[in-house]
Structure formats: C-alpha cells, structure tokens
Amino acid sequence: MSQSATETAIEALNAWWRDMGVDVGEGVSAPPQHKPPQAARPASKGERVPQRKRSKRLEDWIEDARQSAAAATSLTDLKSAIEAFEGCPLRAGANKTVVYDGIEGAPIMVIGEGAGGTEDQVGLPFVGKAGKLLDKMLAAIDLSRATNVFITNVTYWRPPGNRNPEADELAVCRPFVDRMIELNAPKLIISAGGVSAKSLLNTKTGIMKLRGKLVDYTTPGGLTAPLMPTFHPAYLLRRPQDKSRAWRDLLAVKAQLDGMA
Ligand code: URA
C-alpha cells in the first residue's frame, strides 16, 4: 500500500471511530516513514493558518457570544451577528462563515457538526456529498430544505483538515446555536452525528447509544423541543450497512411529527 493510501485508510478509521463515539484523541497515525528530514512547509501564499491564541479569555468570548446572540431578534440578525463574531478560532482558517440554509421558522431543524470543504466554498451547510445524502434521507419522510426544514451546525467555520471541532470551539458557538433554536422554534430537532448530539446533550455517550431515542432539549431561554440523535450522513456514506438504523430513526421522527399534527 502506498503511503498516501495508508494515510487515507487511517484517516477514515479515525473518523469512523469518532463517529461511533470512541474518543481516539489525536487518533492513530501512520507508521513513521524513513525519509530525510525536511524543512517545515511554509504556509502557501494566501493560506490562512488558524490562530488559537486569543486576545481574550474563553469565558469572555462566550459572554460576548451570549450577549450578541441575545440581542438578535430574527434569524437574519443572528446570522449577521455570527458573521461578525471574532471569538471562534476556527474563523481564521475558513473561507466562509456557514450559518444556515432552508426555511426560516421550519418545523424541523437539522443540526450537524460543521462545514466541510464544499460548504466552506459555498457558504451553506450540507451542500457536499453528505448533504446530498441528507437531502435524500429527509425526502424519504417528506421533508426538504425547500419546504419544511431548517439546517444548521454546532459550529460555523470549517475545522482545518475537517477534524472534529474542539470543546472551546463548540462552547463559543453554543449561545448562537441555542438562540437559533429559540428564533426558529422547531417542532422537532434532528441532530446529525455524534459531535452534534454529544455537544447539544452535553454528554460523553456515543451516537451508537444516543441514536433513535427522542429526548427533550431545552434552551437556556426556555424553549423545549424533542430532539432525535441519528447518524451523520458522512458516516452513512462510509458505513452504508447502518442506513437501515438511520431509516428507523427517520421513521420515529415521522411518527412523532404525525402525532403532533
Ligand atoms: N457536515 C456537517 O456536519 N455539516 C455540514 O454543513 C456539512 C457536512
């Protein structure tokens, strides 16, 4: 196996474990290659390197996010507030701020993890390969971002190399996520993938255990909506054999919605 194939396989393995809720830390890495030492690659022209150094403490940025989110009285206001927010270190390495797509005030809200490469180029959530699968999954239960779904993420900037967002990155975005839920006031939330579900539910339990069970989610502002954790579509692209379990989750969503009508 060539080195790049090995690295690709290891990356996929790490991503798979992470999606399954296994804490792999930095993950396994490729065996050392016996190459002559090389100078570090300088950042290429125009490449932005994420800065983790902050001018303020995390708690202060979180407080700023809280105040800015609370001041927003509409989803468009909130989008502008997120675009102006400078407290998330992911912002420095991203091309676009990816906030939401779909119908404002839609009864269903899908909350994923964060932008990937395509989203970072386009500026909208779930528009790459995983997004196409998400659209198909939603269509199977008569849902679509064109009519009755609002789609967002628990972070608003693409993590470098598509790694999972870190705890501080999730924490500074969280006041915006909660305010978005309050302003959209969904009948039901679908959280896509382990990162989203674990962050929203503030738990270390993995998606394998969380998925398929509706739980009530209450924002700090007091809005409560049922939340269904399910697999991330990117995980299902890697593990199509789990699509039947995701299908069961979607049927439970549909039954819940039918019962609310
Ligand atoms: N994965 C996510 O979790 N969100 C996106 O917007 C795209 C891919």
Side-chain angles (χ1 to χ4, degrees):
M1 195 185 276
S2 73
Q3 188 198 343
S4 68
T6 306
E7 282 171 354
T8 307
I10 286 170
E11 228 172 67
L13 181 62
N14 284 331
W16 183 32
W17 283 349
R18 284 198 185 94
D19 274 336
M20 289 177 71
V22 178
D23 182 3
V24 293
E26 292 298 309
V28 293
S29 43
Q33 301 291 314
H34 299 288
K35 278 189 182 170
Q38 286 180 338
R41 182 181 70 82
S44 55
K45 198 166 168 238
E47 185 183 0
R48 279 167 290 168
V49 179
Q51 300 296 312
R52 296 202 58 79
K53 216 172 148 199
R54 294 166 184 275
S55 51
K56 283 197 221 185
R57 290 181 320 145
L58 176 64
E59 302 75 57
D60 296 332
W61 279 119
I62 293 174
E63 186 49 34
D64 280 6
R66 249 186 230 126
Q67 288 181 15
S68 156
T73 55
S74 70
L75 287 162
T76 9
D77 269 5
L78 187 63
K79 183 169 186 278
S80 307
I82 294 167
E83 284 164 348
F85 183 66
E86 296 192 341
C88 180
L90 291 176
R91 187 191 165 107
N95 280 305
K96 293 250 166 88
T97 304
V98 176
V99 185
Y100 63 75
D101 193 20
I103 303 295
E104 295 187 7
I108 307 301
M109 194 160 172
V110 174
I111 308 184
E113 165 183 334
T118 313
E119 291 77 17
D120 182 53
Q121 293 302 318
V122 175
L124 292 171
F126 282 107
V127 288
K129 271 194 199 152
K132 303 261 176 296
L133 177 57
L134 175 66
D135 286 342
K136 283 190 194 154
M137 291 162 69
L138 294 172
I141 52 166
D142 300 323
L143 300 176
S144 115
R145 68 175 93 194
T147 55
N148 49 13
V149 178
F150 180 91
I151 301 182
T152 186
N153 283 309
V154 286
T155 54
Y156 304 106
W157 296 274
R158 180 197 191 194
N162 288 345
R163 65 158 168 75
N164 282 348
E166 292 177 5
D168 57 342
E169 296 155 356
L170 290 161
V172 279
C173 292
R174 186 56 175 274
F176 296 116
V177 175
D178 280 322
R179 187 70 182 138
M180 208 174 292
I181 294 171
E182 286 162 9
L183 290 169
N184 192 70
K187 277 189 178 172
L188 188 144
I189 299 166
I190 298 173
S191 87
V195 169
S196 166
K198 288 198 286 185
S199 160
L200 289 168
L201 302 177
N202 194 23
T203 177
K204 288 193 164 40
T205 305
I207 190 65
M208 287 292 167
K209 287 219 170 103
L210 294 174
R211 61 150 282 273
K213 293 173 209 128
L214 278 167
V215 284
D216 272 350
Y217 181 76
T218 301
T219 67
L223 184 134
T224 299
L227 180 149
M228 171 64 85
T230 191
F231 292 127
H232 195 286
Y235 167 78
L236 294 172
L237 288 171
R238 297 191 296 274
R239 285 271 305 174
Q241 57 272 48
D242 274 336
K243 281 185 182 170
S244 58
R245 293 204 262 181
W247 176 235
R248 283 209 292 275
D249 303 346
L250 291 173
L251 288 178
V253 164
K254 183 152 174 50
Q256 174 79 10
L257 291 173
D258 289 348
M260 287 168 142

